[in-house]
Structure formats: C-alpha cells, structure tokens
Amino acid sequence: MLPYKPIHIESYDEIRTQLIELLFSYTKELKTTFILTDKNKVFSHIPKLKKFLTDNNLELDICRFFITSPQDSIGIHTDGNDENPKYLALNLPLFGCTNSYMRWWSDVKLIEVRENIDGYVKNIKVFDGTGKIPDHSLALTTPHLVQIDIPHDVVNFQDYYRAIFSMRFKPEPLHLWS
C-alpha cells in the first residue's frame, strides 16, 4: 500500500488562494520553517475549508504551514510520539510543489530524538538515510492524505520556494484512508 492517498476537495483553488493569503499574514519572509497556525483564524478566513472538514467528519487538532527553501530539504523524521501519536496528515500544496518531493523511507538509522519542537510535539525522532533509497516519493501537486508515522522527508530541487498547509486531526481520519 502507498503511504499517500489523493483527496478531492471541492473549491480547492479558492481555498488554496485564501491559504496563501493567510500564510503571508503570518510572515513576509520565506525560509525553511514551519508556522503553527491558529485553527480559529483558519476557519474564519477560509469557510470552505471548514465546510470540507465538517462535511467529512474531521476535527482539526493542529495545522501548520511548511516552507522549504530552494535547493533545501527537511530531514528524515517521524511525527507524533508516544504521548501524542499521529499517523496521518492532510497536506495541501500551496506553491512550488512540482519538482519537490515528500519521500518515505525504511531501514533508516535513528540518530537523534529532538526534545521540544514547537510546544505541541515533543521527542521527534530523526533518522539518517545515507546510502539508502526512498521507498516512495510524491510530488504534492494536489491534496493528499499522507502517512507521517513512518520515516519521511521533504526535498525541494527547485530554484524557488515550496509551501504546503498540513493538518492533523483528532481522532485520526482513518475513515478517509480506507
């Protein structure tokens, strides 16, 4: 089974435009980072996204913008931990996603456990994939539900920025995965 699944979102082009506006209300400076986002601000700014979540019985737990600089990457890691396990995320591409990839790995070596990333997630596992080849790769050009509990990374081969909006839910959206 693939570690990702496309998800159709009605009015996605409009939602995408509004998410980009919201991103730039948080920051004007693009760099490799993530921006924890207030879900109430998301809902008030993007009612069609809130409707999609409600219609699909999804309760938003946390959401973030992820930005990856040109010719940069986000290292191999897993999301969630024993206290707050996370298995799936709904990732929405915003811009610069054509020649950038989310990749999934197996048989990688655990090299570090990072303590407190953003006040929400603690003890993130970081891995080394030197000499390994990813098992799966996805250019996130349309919305996808993705597995985040197995080692994964992001690499941006482009000369411009990549940005996505990622949502995590409580409970996990297993009904969309099957």
Side-chain angles (χ1 to χ4, degrees), residues 108-122:
V108 288
K109 180 182 175 185
L110 177 65
I111 58 170
E112 180 183 5
V113 178
R114 293 197 182 144
E115 288 292 318
N116 186 347
I117 302 297
D118 62 10
Y120 176 81
V121 177
K122 298 179 179 94

Side-chain angles (χ1 to χ4, degrees), residues 140-152:
L140 186 77
T141 57
T142 61
H144 275 75
L145 199 57
V146 297
Q147 282 188 272
I148 56 174
D149 64 323
I150 58 177
H152 60 280

Side-chain angles (χ1 to χ4, degrees), residues 8 15 40 55 60 77 92 94 97 111 113 121 125 129 134 145 171:
H8 175 73
I15 290 169
N40 293 321
D55 290 350
L60 189 58
H77 65 282
L92 309 180
L94 302 181
C97 295
I111 58 170
V113 178
V121 177
K125 294 177 182 171
L145 199 57

Side-chain angles (χ1 to χ4, degrees), residues 81-119:
N81 56 44
D82 294 338
E83 292 173 40
N84 193 12
K86 291 292 173 191
Y87 307 105
L88 297 169
L90 180 55
N91 286 354
L92 309 180
L94 302 181
F95 54 83
C97 295
T98 302
N99 192 26
S100 66
Y101 300 91
M102 183 172 181
R103 306 179 302 183
W104 290 265
W105 303 76
S106 61
D107 197 29
V108 288
K109 180 182 175 185
L110 177 65
I111 58 170
E112 180 183 5
V113 178
R114 293 197 182 144
E115 288 292 318
N116 186 347
I117 302 297
D118 62 10

